[in-house]
Amino acid sequence: MYATDTEHHEGKVDENLVRIAEGADVLIYDSQYMPEEYDGTAGGLSSKRGWGHSTYEEGARIARIAGVSRLVLFHHDPGHDDAFVRQKELRAQALFPDTVAAREGLTLNF
């Protein structure tokens, strides 16, 4: 299941997305921002709410509720380097262990 250019709404799960993703082997989820970037609490940056993208936290939440097997984070912010994306991946894995950040050359085997 591929969910691009999707934005979550605080406190509400996107029931349509959960329904579509239910039981999927893979959920590829738009997780462009860290939660603190999305909320505007990171180093004086303005909120990214309303920009049409989401966070790894919401991706992990949807993956758990929908019972997907693997979460793939993608649509990384072009201002984030590889180390930043790796930190996002590690933080996501703490919430949903079978998570990987998409990167050039990534292959998934089932």
Side-chain angles (χ1 to χ4, degrees), residues 49-67:
R49 291 180 189 277
W51 287 35
H53 302 290
S54 194
T55 67
Y56 72 84
E57 280 184 335
E58 190 63 14
R61 182 165 80 145
I62 290 171
R64 276 193 318 276
I65 293 169

Side-chain angles (χ1 to χ4, degrees), residues 35-82:
E36 53 274 16
E37 291 176 301
Y38 184 77
D39 292 334
T41 58
L45 297 176
S46 61
S47 171
K48 304 298 185 186
R49 291 180 189 277
W51 287 35
H53 302 290
S54 194
T55 67
Y56 72 84
E57 280 184 335
E58 190 63 14
R61 182 165 80 145
I62 290 171
R64 276 193 318 276
I65 293 169
V68 304
S69 298
R70 180 173 289 170
L71 174 62
V72 178
L73 310 176
F74 91 110
H75 207 157
H76 306 302
D77 189 292
H80 296 163
D81 62 15
D82 290 346

Side-chain angles (χ1 to χ4, degrees), residues 34 80-90:
M34 291 288 214
H80 296 163
D81 62 15
D82 290 346
F84 192 97
V85 172
R86 178 66 178 139
Q87 286 305 308
K88 184 190 315 184
E89 181 180 55
L90 290 170

